[in-house]
Amino acid sequence: MRTNRTVLPLLVLPLALAVLVGCAAGSPPETTAHDAGAAWAYEGDGAPEHWGDLAGEYRACASGEQQSPIDLPAPRGGAALDLVGSGPVRGITADNGHTVQFTADDGATTAIAGADLDLVQVHFHAGSEHTTAGEASAAEFHFVHADERGALTVVGVLAERGAHNPAYDDLVAGATAGAGRASTVDVEAMLPAERSFATYQGSLTTPPCTEGVRWIVLERAVELGADQLGDLEAAHVGNARPVQPLGDRTVRHAL
């Protein structure tokens, strides 16, 4: 990244997206006072339906009108996403209590539609957060990017049970490591061969549910082996926010 990025997980980002450029990268996510003061979860008193009441800065979780995830239309097979990765990216994979997250070292970029964006982190949800025509996938991976102003673009990749996928081995290994470990990911290698997509304006899918996030969700799922999905689910399962109303937004198939 052009300036050092924070190692705070997306799941606890404060309202100002500018915090994505701050602390030194390379160490695993850490617990913050923000975490301790307003605990949230996927069940019980801290479940998604209560997020908006847990803290003032979480109000958008209940009152926002452009919330994520959403139910996406059935695949239509339109234009392919114009995405070029920078090749293998090094970083640290660690469990932040809500998911297993890869935090990229500085300098990792992805070109999307010709615009260079900084790869910030990659994390997963099991099952998926976005649904397609009402159906959830086995898992979903979020490739979080930021531009120079800190505005976020998240590329969502759905995953289904199938053949073992070596491109995900290093990330999945982080789910079983028990502590932060050095890892390498290759964004392009982790995407499906067919890259038609749906895009819309949404939000973070976890508190504080900040809006203004550009979502690009690939229509075709990748396959992961039963062993790979099993390792992810053993670390976190059911860590998915329910779909939110689309409202007056439009889901498009072009950037």
Side-chain angles (χ1 to χ4, degrees):
M1 197 168 180
R2 298 168 185 85
T3 56
N4 287 340
R5 68 170 64 89
T6 183
V7 296
L8 290 176
L10 174 68
L11 300 168
V12 296
L13 280 176
L15 287 174
L17 295 182
V19 300
L20 284 169
V21 287
C23 306
S27 55
E30 56 191 354
T31 302
T32 68
H34 188 104
D35 277 320
W40 59 271
Y42 289 100
E43 58 185 5
D45 292 341
E49 61 266 29
H50 304 302
W51 286 351
D53 300 322
L54 294 177
E57 60 265 39
Y58 295 175
R59 281 193 296 266
C61 300
S63 63
E65 297 181 352
Q66 294 191 333
Q67 291 290 290
S68 298
I70 62 171
D71 181 47
L72 298 167
R76 54 179 285 181
L81 177 64
D82 178 10
L83 182 151
V84 180
S86 58
V89 174
R90 295 180 179 178
I92 297 293
T93 301
D95 193 320
N96 63 25
H98 298 290
T99 186
V100 173
Q101 175 179 298
F102 168 83
T103 302
D105 289 346
D106 287 348
T109 61
T110 302
I112 297 178
D116 286 340
L117 302 177
D118 297 310
L119 176 65
V120 180
Q121 50 108 319
V122 184
H123 64 270
F124 82 92
H125 300 269
S128 70
E129 295 201 301
H130 289 90
T131 58
T132 303
E135 296 294 325
S137 298
E140 181 174 349
F141 294 86
H142 292 162
F143 295 77
V144 183
H145 298 81
D147 66 14
E148 290 182 322
R149 298 173 293 108
L152 297 181
T153 293
V154 183
V155 177
V157 177
L158 304 173
E160 296 288 7
R161 192 176 307 272
H164 186 92
N165 192 331
Y168 281 81
D169 277 343
D170 219 21
L171 181 63
V172 171
T176 61
R181 68 184 294 274
S183 302
T184 302
V185 304
D186 186 332
V187 175
E188 278 197 275
M190 297 169 80
L191 303 187
E194 184 179 339
R195 297 180 182 175
S196 59
F197 64 94
T199 183
Y200 73 99
Q201 286 297 117
S203 72
L204 304 180
T205 64
T206 58
C209 306
T210 309
E211 296 184 341
V213 177
R214 177 176 66 165
W215 279 93
I216 302 171
V217 183
L218 297 184
E219 291 186 319
R220 301 299 178 184
V222 297
E223 290 187 1
L224 293 184
D227 58 329
Q228 294 175 303
L229 283 172
D231 285 343
L232 294 177
E233 291 167 353
H236 292 281
V237 70
N239 62 338
R241 186 189 193 190
V243 296
Q244 304 297 302
L246 180 62
D248 61 2
R249 290 175 288 176
T250 300
V251 178
R252 298 177 293 110
H253 298 270
L255 295 177

